[in-house]
Amino acid sequence: YPNPASEQINILVGGAATTAKILLFNSGGDLLKHIDINLDPLNRSCQIPLNHCPPGLYLIRVISGEKTENFKILKH
């Protein structure tokens, strides 16, 4: 959240894993950013800056434990 976004997005990671990988792709499938995060059991969120990205559609892949989730984000 938020979606659409302008400056940054916040990602809430479910499950019990203590680490996660966040991958940011453009609409053409090119990897723009790879972030490894450590998750606090009480705060399972992270912020991803989008200020370096031009307006458009982006795909986010969150890999946490054995779970993979994909999201579409619109930057305006």
Side-chain angles (χ1 to χ4, degrees):
Y1 65 91
N3 192 9
S6 58
E7 297 296 319
Q8 71 181 17
I9 57 168
N10 300 294
I11 297 177
L12 300 173
V13 181
T18 58
T19 62
K21 292 179 192 252
I22 312 284
L23 306 172
L24 176 66
F25 298 91
N26 65 15
S27 60
D30 299 320
L31 179 63
L32 303 177
K33 189 174 271 208
H34 175 187
I35 301 170
D36 291 314
I37 60 170
N38 292 316
L39 297 166
D40 181 331
L42 301 176
N43 179 13
R44 302 191 53 82
S45 67
C46 67
Q47 296 178 340
I48 307 298
L50 294 178
N51 52 353
H52 66 285
C53 300
L57 180 67
Y58 294 89
L59 305 171
I60 297 197
R61 178 170 293 154
V62 180
I63 303 168
S64 175
E66 295 184 12
K67 186 175 184 180
T68 300
E69 295 181 275
N70 296 297
F71 304 95
K72 292 180 185 175
I73 297 291
L74 181 62
K75 182 183 183 215
H76 56 85

